[in-house]
Amino acid sequence: MKIIGIIAEYNPFHNGHAYQIACAKERFGADAVVVIMSGAFTQRGIPAIFDKESRAKMALACGADLVIELPIMASTASAEGFAFGAVRTLDSLGMVDELLFGCETDHIELFYRTAALLENESDDFRSRLRSRVHEGNSYPKARAAAFPKEIPTGFLDTPNNILGVEYVKALLRLSSSMVPVCLRRKGSQHHDLSPSGNFISAGALREKIGNLPRSIESFSILHPYFPKGAYEICLQEWGDGKCVFVDDFSLLLHDRLYETDDFTIYSDCSESLSAKICRYRDQYISFSQFCQLLKSKDLTYTRISRVLCHILLRIRREDCQRFLSLPRAPYIHILGFNRLGASILSEIKKAGGQEPVPMFVSPKEGERLLSQEHLPFLAADVAAADQYRMVLTAKTGRIYSSEYTRKFEPFF
């Protein structure tokens, strides 16, 4: 059986995602697709618009066979940490043959070449990089400008290409047997707010959803951008008011900003950014407003959002570093599967070789399986899900199941 892995956020699931899964099976010959998906919070430092269970169901309804949660320590990390945590999880399954990712080019050799340069940085490259940073450029822009002529100008200007390079780097670092396969994106670019036919970026779709009047009828104008199975689930979630945006967490974050004067304990926060947060926190109005206030030439909005997310969720630098230093995934938290996915899980459990990574559908089960060393990572996932659930309850006035009380239902 040929198994292809996909790393995703599905925030939310749209036609482009369905196209990728369909290509995995029809163009690249996958018998099954395994998805590693962000949970409550995503790599841009924002909450997922719909909860992880709903997004997992969308993926399964549109062709995925097994959906696994990417732990919060990786899902909110920089591109390098996000990619490494996700690739390591797929690699730890021991059954995934290829890693398929979306990008802006069909030339996989460019990703190999760039990854090799970043894994073995020359003195000349480091010198050019430092020079660009000292000029006041953000690190991503400085790095892109420091590359030699062999890497086309603009290659690392898009988030998908950046992640693609980090996926290949992670595969090389892990000496993984998985083969990377790139698929050129169809339709709108990642940051493009305009649709291209029935294809639209997830960011543009979130913006459209956020601007809709609160009625089921208004949501129908977005129908063309969703595959059928995903649309029905999104419509149900929207109708129930289960739709979350970053500013829904504004009050919680505001409280966190007065807990300390040293934010460098949190992942990705530099001394200068910590000082800036302290200097401007009395001007805080909302999560998004504060990101905009702190933004500068050398500090991107996304970097700031990610740091504020880590402060909100109390994700400490030392815990993140410890998580990402592990050679294998500490656990596999299963969000959903169909019959084929169930058979894959069965094969993983039966496979010989090295000791299998603990797999579970409930954190309660996970706590029985994990070592004391790895329990804090699971606790961070649960805490993030609890924050998300509390905001949902505040928005809708309804009570939702916790990670410990939610009933797991296979997608059969």
Side-chain angles (χ1 to χ4, degrees):
M1 180 189 295
K2 181 177 179 179
I3 300 176
I4 285 182
I6 291 174
I7 298 165
E9 293 185 322
Y10 297 152
N11 188 30
F13 193 100
H14 54 62
N15 287 336
H17 299 132
Y19 170 74
Q20 184 185 29
I21 293 174
C23 285
K25 294 190 173 182
E26 296 165 14
R27 185 189 303 183
F28 298 106
D31 298 298
V33 169
V34 175
V35 174
I36 305 297
M37 189 189 78
S38 299
F41 292 82
T42 67
Q43 203 263 329
R44 296 178 69 82
I46 60 174
I49 192 168
F50 299 117
D51 67 43
K52 60 188 177 185
E53 289 78 22
S54 299
R55 285 155 41 236
K57 286 179 183 175
M58 294 177 206
L60 292 166
C62 297
D65 300 291
L66 172 62
V67 182
I68 293 165
E69 180 176 358
L70 179 62
I72 195 72
M73 296 285 178
S75 74
T76 60
S78 65
E80 184 177 25
F82 176 91
F84 183 78
V87 171
R88 184 182 62 186
T89 301
L90 281 173
D91 189 65
S92 296
L93 293 175
M95 291 191 68
V96 179
D97 301 293
E98 295 178 355
L99 169 61
L100 176 64
F101 60 89
C103 58
E104 319 304 338
T105 177
D106 293 324
H107 302 294
I108 192 67
E109 67 274 8
L110 276 176
F111 293 94
Y112 272 111
R113 197 181 306 157
T114 308
L117 281 169
L118 291 175
E119 275 293 276
N120 301 283
E121 294 178 355
S122 66
D123 291 339
D124 183 47
F125 176 80
R126 290 197 190 97
S127 175
R128 290 197 303 271
L129 178 59
R130 281 195 298 270
S131 175
R132 298 290 183 174
V133 169
H134 289 156
E135 289 171 6
N137 293 293
S138 65
Y139 183 80
K141 285 188 176 180
R143 188 176 70 169
F147 276 113
K149 294 178 181 177
E150 291 82 5
I151 307 301
T153 301
F155 176 66
L156 286 185
D157 285 351
T158 63
N160 286 290
N161 281 4
I162 291 170
L163 277 174
V165 168
E166 294 298 342
Y167 294 149
V168 176
K169 268 177 61 182
L171 290 169
L172 295 173
R173 191 176 302 171
L174 291 164
S175 299
S176 175
S177 62
M178 286 190 295
V179 177
V181 181
C182 61
L183 174 67
R184 190 163 190 165
R185 281 168 55 88
K186 194 170 182 179
S188 302
Q189 302 298 310
H190 180 89
H191 55 276
D192 194 346
L193 297 182
S194 302
S196 176
N198 289 342
F199 289 85
I200 191 171
S201 71
L205 196 47
R206 289 194 301 273
E207 183 172 294
K208 287 181 179 293
I209 292 172
N211 291 329
L212 286 177
R214 175 54 63 187
S215 72
I216 293 179
E217 291 74 21
S218 68
F219 199 85
S220 64
I221 66 170
L222 301 180
H223 197 171
Y225 305 124
F226 291 100
K228 182 180 178 183
Y231 176 76
E232 292 167 354
I233 296 169
C234 286
L235 181 61
Q236 179 66 51
E237 297 295 288
W238 171 258
D240 290 343
K242 291 177 63 180
C243 195
V244 172
F245 297 93
V246 70
D247 282 342
D248 292 324
F249 291 82
S250 293
L251 190 58
L252 285 171
L253 175 61
H254 200 181
D255 182 59
R256 297 279 194 270
L257 294 180
Y258 287 89
E259 288 183 343
T260 182
D261 291 332
D262 181 13
F263 296 99
T264 60
I265 61 173
Y266 297 110
S267 186
D268 287 335
C269 192
S270 63
E271 288 186 11
S272 59
L273 180 53
S274 175
K276 197 172 186 181
I277 289 170
C278 292
R279 191 161 63 248
Y280 286 102
R281 62 188 169 189
D282 286 346
Q283 298 178 41
Y284 180 96
I285 297 174
S286 70
F287 197 125
S288 59
Q289 170 267 346
F290 201 52
C291 286
Q292 201 64 48
L293 184 65
L294 298 177
K295 180 183 169 186
S296 62
K297 186 178 179 182
D298 62 332
L299 279 173
T300 65
Y301 185 102
T302 300
R303 163 79 187 282
I304 294 164
S305 178
R306 202 158 46 234
V307 168
L308 295 181
C309 180
H310 292 158
I311 294 169
L312 171 74
L313 301 176
R314 297 193 177 100
I315 297 176
R316 298 167 66 93
R317 180 190 304 274
E318 61 185 37
D319 296 330
C320 225
Q321 289 174 342
R322 194 159 52 87
F323 175 84
L324 292 172
S325 70
L326 299 173
R328 300 178 69 209
Y331 51 84
I332 304 291
H333 184 186
I334 301 157
L335 293 178
F337 55 80
N338 57 21
R339 294 189 192 280
L340 182 55
S343 69
I344 293 170
L345 290 171
S346 180
E347 286 300 314
I348 293 171
K349 289 177 181 177
K350 282 192 259 179
Q354 60 183 330
E355 185 179 349
V357 172
M359 295 191 298
F360 52 85
V361 298
S362 164
K364 188 179 292 185
E365 181 187 4
E367 288 173 354
R368 293 196 300 268
L369 297 173
L370 297 189
S371 66
Q372 289 299 313
E373 179 190 3
H374 296 160
L375 278 173
F377 306 138
L378 178 59
D381 292 345
V382 172
D386 279 342
Q387 292 286 325
Y388 193 96
R389 179 174 55 88
M390 283 192 294
V391 165
L392 267 183
T393 295
K395 284 195 76 171
T396 65
R398 299 189 189 95
I399 296 172
Y400 298 97
S401 300
S402 72
E403 291 287 277
Y404 295 102
T405 59
R406 184 180 288 110
K407 292 182 179 178
F408 180 85
E409 297 179 1
F411 195 82
F412 290 167

